Amino acid sequence: MLNQRVMRHWQLPTSASPSQLRSLGEYHPLLAAILWNRGWRDAAAVEQFLNIDWKQRHDPFLLRDMDRAVERIKHAVEQKQRVVVYGDFDTDGVTGVTLLMQLFKAFDLPVRPYIPKREGEGYGLNLAAIEKLHQEGLDLLVTVDCGISNIAEISRANELGFDTIVLDHHQPPANLPPAYAVVDPKRSDCAYPFKGLCGVGVAFKLYEALWRAGIQPNNLRARDILDVVALGTIADMMPLTGENRVLVHFGLQAMNESQRPGLKALLRVAAVEQGKIDASSVGFRLSPRINAAGRLVDARIAYSLLLAPDQAQADGFADQLNSTNIERQALTRDVQQAARELAQNSGQLDQRILVIVGEDFHHGVVGLAAGKLAEEFARPVLVMGKEEDRSRGSARSIPGFNIVNALAECADLFEKYGGHAAAAGFTIANEHIPELEQRLQAIANQQITDAMMVPQLPIDAEATFDQLNLEMLAVLEKMAPFGLENQQPRFCSRRVTVIEARGVGAENQHLRLRLQQGRHYQTAIGFNLGDWLAELHNGSQIDIVYTVGINEWNGRSSVQLTLVDLRLSEGQR
């Protein structure tokens, strides 16, 4: 349980006039109000957003170098060349490798996967792997979810005589690697209209480009690989807007109908029912188990699960991943608590950015701990696991502060680094850590304002309990799939009465409430809000922010509120 309560600023919605809401189209007033408050003003754009169509995808050849990638793969297919697919060890990388392996096997090419181990190899291409693959015999190397920063490694591949195609989505460096083709929507010279694809998304666009060019794999349809596209896109926390919204929408359909043994096994251990898979269950139940392999042991277990040929093998891999995920959860809690104590005891909480170094922090979970602490303390956090000569760490940021740009200003201190505006990873010699902290503090003092360190909680609409019913949920479902940049709608209800409050969970870390407003009652669950239990009693009046979902029990469906935040109503504080 957190040691301090984060006070968030509730951003209440403004009221739109009936004529403004009607200008969006003939929609339920609550749905129209949510869309209006989220900035939607164009009726045609709203129509396209709510009515997802497979035709809303973009031409894959708008991606820079996609024509070269297709040309090179066509040559490999014609010559039956030896191919290696090299991917990252997170869910995006693993699903990208899975998709490309299915693609190249459908072309009947001699192909093998290569997923580096976090321990010993780290993120991205490495020279030892390049040398090893050359010795094994290799004509074409295709990277997915990595490669954009590996100039030295790809230069060595060129010297050894094999070509490289980079499929990536990370921010490119000033100088691109000398690969045969570099396909990355974030290239400054790339005109692709949607920049939010993840690695497996870029791999899927390669599949589409090959089809359009008449280079069609045998018996491999889009629906056969869209399940892993959805899994990787959601797990990598890509925006569920634009083309990702299309890919995930149809990918979730594919997951709910998939006969992939590995997916069925994963659903079993995660207690998710096929047919009811949504973005939330993928993000919170499925992807953590896939990610756990690369964090603690070997991501190839997750890859083997997704391409398991039969149910018996798939079940064995799924059980391994489930056990690893339980271990990952415990390690994350331990590192988070230890890092919190280091920050508190060192007086760092007065700083605008936290740089925390632990002697025995497992590098596989430092990013998760950093994310939890960034949310808890409302400021960017770097957490590092210190080794003999160097430290490996992860950074997580807050809205408005681009963490990878901040690291770029300290690039001379790192052995390697990379990432996004909100998250990054790096390796640094221990002797450089004090200077890194000093420089980052100076950057943070210039760029992070007091207001940025007050977490904002946008609220989509105010609601009363009489409005909360299954019919309303059906209306809201038109906005799904929910995720980054298209969050599940948040509602606010004021002056609701606590009828019953109790703690749930092994340490009562969660809060379950029975609430009343007028003649209407609702149940609510608040994850990690158990510290409120001491302040609530029967009859307490509270204001709540929540999302609305369905609770199914004994064949009956009812509305359940999931609390995001709460506070005592005015007059009771």
Side-chain angles (χ1 to χ4, degrees):
M1 195 181 301
L2 301 182
N3 288 346
Q4 67 179 46
R5 184 177 297 157
V6 178
M7 301 301 293
R8 293 186 274 191
H9 174 66
W10 292 12
Q11 294 179 318
L12 295 168
T14 55
S15 297
S17 69
S19 63
Q20 288 174 322
L21 298 184
R22 285 195 299 272
S23 72
L24 299 182
E26 296 299 320
Y27 301 112
H28 188 285
L30 184 60
L31 176 61
I34 292 171
L35 292 168
W36 184 272
N37 290 329
R38 291 191 176 188
W40 292 90
R41 299 292 186 270
D42 181 77
V46 169
E47 173 73 13
Q48 186 179 52
F49 175 75
L50 295 178
N51 296 283
I52 302 173
D53 192 310
W54 184 240
K55 296 178 182 178
Q56 292 170 357
R57 297 162 6 264
H58 301 298
D59 181 351
F61 285 102
L62 292 176
L63 284 159
R64 187 64 181 264
D65 269 12
M66 183 61 84
D67 55 342
R68 289 179 57 79
V70 168
E71 169 200 329
R72 184 62 185 84
I73 290 171
K74 179 182 179 182
H75 178 71
V77 171
E78 291 171 345
Q79 300 299 317
K80 294 298 179 185
Q81 290 187 323
R82 295 159 297 183
V83 180
V84 170
V85 177
Y86 192 116
D88 188 24
F89 40 64
D90 69 357
T91 301
D92 185 19
V94 169
T95 54
V97 171
T98 300
L99 186 155
L100 292 173
M101 287 295 295
Q102 289 186 249
L103 175 62
F104 291 127
K105 284 182 177 180
F107 284 125
D108 199 28
L109 286 178
V111 59
R112 62 156 289 192
Y114 192 97
I115 302 175
K117 290 187 176 181
R118 183 187 293 263
E119 184 69 44
E121 290 185 272
Y123 170 78
L125 298 173
N126 63 82
L127 289 172
I130 295 294
E131 299 289 347
K132 176 184 176 183
L133 293 171
H134 169 64
Q135 292 170 7
E136 293 179 4
L138 171 63
D139 298 302
L140 177 62
L141 176 67
V142 181
T143 78
V144 60
D145 194 34
C146 62
I148 196 69
S149 299
N150 293 116
I151 294 174
E153 293 80 3
I154 293 176
S155 296
R156 180 57 179 158
N158 292 340
E159 292 173 1
L160 294 171
F162 60 86
D163 292 327
T164 304
I165 295 173
V166 172
L167 306 177
D168 207 345
H169 71 113
H170 295 97
Q171 191 65 42
N175 297 313
L176 294 176
Y180 189 92
V182 178
V183 184
D184 186 329
K186 293 190 176 71
R187 283 181 58 163
S188 61
D189 58 353
C190 180
Y192 199 72
F194 183 69
K195 304 297 184 182
L197 293 172
C198 65
V200 70
V202 176
F204 183 77
K205 299 309 291 186
L206 173 65
Y207 164 85
E208 286 191 317
L210 289 165
W211 263 93
R212 290 199 182 199
I215 310 164
Q216 299 173 356
N218 298 318
N219 300 316
L220 185 67
R221 304 161 300 172
R223 72 183 71 174
D224 299 324
I225 50 179
L226 275 170
D227 55 350
V228 295
V229 175
L231 178 56
T233 301
I234 295 169
D236 219 40
M237 297 188 68
M238 292 291 100
L240 293 193
T241 56
E243 192 168 17
N244 278 347
R245 182 169 167 80
V246 179
L247 296 177
V248 169
H249 172 83
F250 288 100
L252 288 171
Q253 288 184 5
M255 293 181 81
N256 278 305
E257 300 170 359
S258 176
Q259 297 304 307
R260 189 187 294 269
L263 178 60
K264 289 181 175 293
L266 187 62
L267 293 172
R268 175 183 61 81
V269 297
V272 176
E273 183 179 346
Q274 191 166 21
K276 297 181 179 179
I277 307 169
D278 59 13
S280 177
S281 57
V282 172
F284 292 102
R285 308 296 293 275
L286 304 185
S287 65
R289 289 168 167 81
I290 296 290
N291 267 329
R295 290 186 182 281
L296 300 190
V297 282
D298 190 337
R300 287 174 291 187
I301 299 172
Y303 163 80
S304 298
L305 168 79
L306 294 177
L307 284 183
D310 57 61
Q311 203 59 56
Q313 290 187 50
D315 285 339
F317 291 128
D319 289 336
Q320 281 184 266
L321 291 180
N322 199 48
S323 298
T324 302
N325 189 53
I326 293 170
E327 181 185 358
R328 188 271 308 166
Q329 291 171 321
L331 275 172
T332 301
R333 287 193 297 269
D334 291 345
V335 171
Q336 181 184 350
Q337 178 61 29
R340 180 194 295 115
E341 291 174 358
L342 284 172
Q344 291 170 334
N345 295 338
S346 64
Q348 281 199 62
L349 297 187
D350 295 329
Q351 305 288 347
R352 293 181 183 269
I353 189 168
L354 306 184
V355 180
I356 307 168
V357 186
E359 296 285 347
D360 55 356
F361 288 176
H362 194 293
H363 60 272
V365 300
V366 291
L368 298 174
K372 297 282 189 182
L373 294 174
E375 181 180 350
E376 179 178 349
F377 295 123
R379 65 203 67 198
V381 176
L382 284 74
V383 178
M384 291 175 244
K386 191 174 184 180
E387 300 169 9
E388 184 176 353
D389 299 316
R390 59 180 52 85
S391 294
R392 284 181 283 176
S394 288
R396 297 294 184 269
S397 195
I398 58 175
F401 185 75
N402 189 311
I403 191 64
V404 78
N405 285 353
L407 297 187
E409 293 189 43
C410 310
D412 56 302
L413 300 178
F414 296 111
E415 293 184 7
K416 62 167 66 174
Y417 77 95
H420 309 287
F426 57 89
T427 303
I428 187 170
N430 292 335
E431 62 189 84
H432 294 320
I433 293 175
E435 185 176 354
L436 173 66
E437 181 174 4
Q438 184 180 27
R439 287 204 218 172
L440 288 177
Q441 295 294 356
I443 295 168
N445 287 339
Q446 288 183 335
Q447 298 183 14
I448 299 178
T449 65
D450 291 344
M452 290 167 63
M453 294 192 296
V454 178
Q456 303 296 304
L457 183 58
I459 296 168
D460 290 288
E462 291 200 50
T464 53
F465 278 9
D466 62 312
Q467 296 175 292
L468 306 180
N469 51 50
L470 295 177
E471 290 74 19
M472 185 198 78
L473 279 177
V475 169
L476 296 180
E477 194 61 25
K478 288 180 173 291
M479 295 180 63
F482 299 114
L484 187 67
E485 297 185 16
N486 183 42
Q487 298 287 349
Q488 191 171 4
R490 296 190 188 105
F491 299 96
C492 173
S493 294
R494 302 174 188 267
R495 302 199 72 84
V496 301
T497 302
V498 177
I499 302 301
E500 179 187 8
R502 58 189 178 91
V504 293
E507 300 176 359
N508 284 334
Q509 69 270 37
H510 310 307
L511 180 68
R512 183 173 292 279
L513 299 176
R514 176 77 172 160
L515 302 170
Q516 179 182 7
Q517 188 182 55
R519 294 179 298 169
H520 299 272
Y521 296 84
Q522 296 290 348
T523 59
I525 181 73
F527 295 107
N528 296 312
L529 293 176
D531 59 337
W532 272 99
L533 198 59
E535 299 182 47
L536 301 179
H537 54 82
N538 292 353
S540 293
Q541 295 267 303
I542 60 175
D543 303 336
I544 57 175
V545 179
Y546 55 91
T547 61
V548 186
I550 296 178
N551 180 42
E552 295 186 350
W553 181 253
N554 287 337
R556 298 182 60 185
S557 299
S558 60
V559 171
Q560 177 172 276
L561 314 185
T562 299
L563 297 175
V564 179
D565 203 5
L566 72 152
R567 62 191 182 193
L568 296 174
S569 299
E570 191 170 347
Q572 298 205 16
R573 300 173 193 167

